[in-house]
Amino acid sequence: MIIEITKPRRGRPPKNTTDNRDTRAELIRSGLEQLTESGFSASGIDPILKKVGVPKGSFYHYFSSKEAFGLAVIDSYANYFAHKLDTYLLDESYPALTRIANFVEDAKSGLAYHHFKRGCLIGNLGQEVDLLPESFRPILSHVFITWQNRIADCLELAKANHDLSQSANTEKLAEYFWIGWEGAVSRTRLTQNTTPIDNYFHHFMTGLPR
């Protein structure tokens, strides 16, 4: 997914192109950590800059505004997560439904590794969408659709292999999966254990038409 962002114009210029590229990536990485824990509205630029060691005046050589920065973080996370989904959902060494289960197990491990402080950036932003710049809304919707399409394709494969009923509406099931998944991840952060995800995924799998 490509998001067009206005070219920055203000602030102290970077020393060289390599420094510019690396620092921008570090800022996005730092922003990703901050936004997945605290959300966009509650996150200030200062702690992100401090962690990377970039003066505030130089920030605008990398991003034209906090909005542009947020869009860059969303784009980075969306690409990262799409790659993660593909790693599991396109793994031909497993049956289609097992691929989804493998993704779920990996996500649970990631949540536990970060002590349940970080959730899904896209889901978190979706919950505060009315407080976000309007430009975020279509981008977040698009990301969810691309994720749904990947799950739907995997369910279609299960259907082709007769592990799923031929009458199954894979697009609706994929939409249901992500709606439930975001709620389960949110509850998991609250309880600080993976029981909500386990319960949700168990009922999702047992409810599939066979």
Side-chain angles (χ1 to χ4, degrees):
M1 181 180 68
I2 299 175
I3 298 174
E4 293 187 1
I5 299 174
T6 303
K7 184 179 179 180
R9 296 181 182 275
R10 296 177 290 164
R12 184 181 305 167
K15 294 181 179 180
N16 54 60
T17 304
T18 301
D19 177 66
N20 181 40
R21 183 171 57 250
D22 293 345
T23 302
R24 186 178 189 278
E26 289 178 19
L27 285 168
I28 291 174
R29 192 178 305 113
S30 178
L32 179 57
E33 295 173 2
Q34 180 76 18
L35 267 60
T36 51
E37 292 186 14
S38 304
F40 183 82
S41 302
S43 294
I45 296 298
D46 289 343
I48 295 171
L49 297 175
K50 184 177 180 180
K51 186 169 184 179
V52 179
V54 175
K56 194 167 187 177
S58 297
F59 174 79
Y60 296 102
H61 251 289
Y62 303 102
F63 305 97
S64 60
S65 63
K66 183 182 177 183
E67 178 179 351
F69 176 65
L71 289 172
V73 173
I74 292 171
D75 188 48
S76 178
Y77 182 85
N79 289 329
Y80 153 78
F81 203 82
H83 176 72
K84 179 182 286 290
L85 282 171
D86 289 344
T87 297
Y88 290 98
L89 302 185
L90 301 180
D91 187 351
E92 297 182 355
S93 59
Y94 292 97
L97 296 182
T98 303
R99 300 178 195 182
I100 300 176
N102 289 343
F103 157 72
V104 170
E105 288 301 312
D106 177 79
K108 286 165 51 182
S109 297
L111 285 162
Y113 178 79
H114 292 293
H115 307 289
F116 303 100
K117 291 184 178 181
R118 300 182 192 174
C120 170
L121 175 65
I122 307 304
N124 292 352
L125 294 178
Q127 292 180 33
E128 58 172 328
V129 67
D130 289 335
L131 302 175
L132 302 177
E134 189 59 31
S135 62
F136 283 31
R137 188 184 296 270
I139 299 298
L140 296 173
S141 295
H142 174 76
V143 173
F144 273 128
I145 293 299
T146 63
W147 293 357
Q148 285 176 202
N149 290 342
R150 283 171 163 81
I151 291 291
D153 287 345
C154 200
L155 292 173
E156 278 293 330
L157 180 60
K159 196 172 175 180
N161 292 333
H162 303 287
D163 292 326
L164 201 60
S165 171
Q166 297 303 299
S167 64
N169 186 327
T170 55
E171 291 185 4
K172 292 296 184 183
L173 288 172
E175 181 180 15
Y176 169 72
F177 174 84
W178 284 113
I179 290 173
W181 175 259
E182 294 299 337
V185 169
S186 179
R187 182 66 65 88
T188 288
R189 293 184 67 195
L190 177 66
T191 61
Q192 295 193 316
N193 63 68
T194 60
T195 300
I197 290 179
D198 291 331
N199 290 340
Y200 161 70
F201 189 59
H202 169 74
H203 287 289
F204 175 82
M205 294 297 286
T206 57
L208 291 175
R210 308 289 178 133

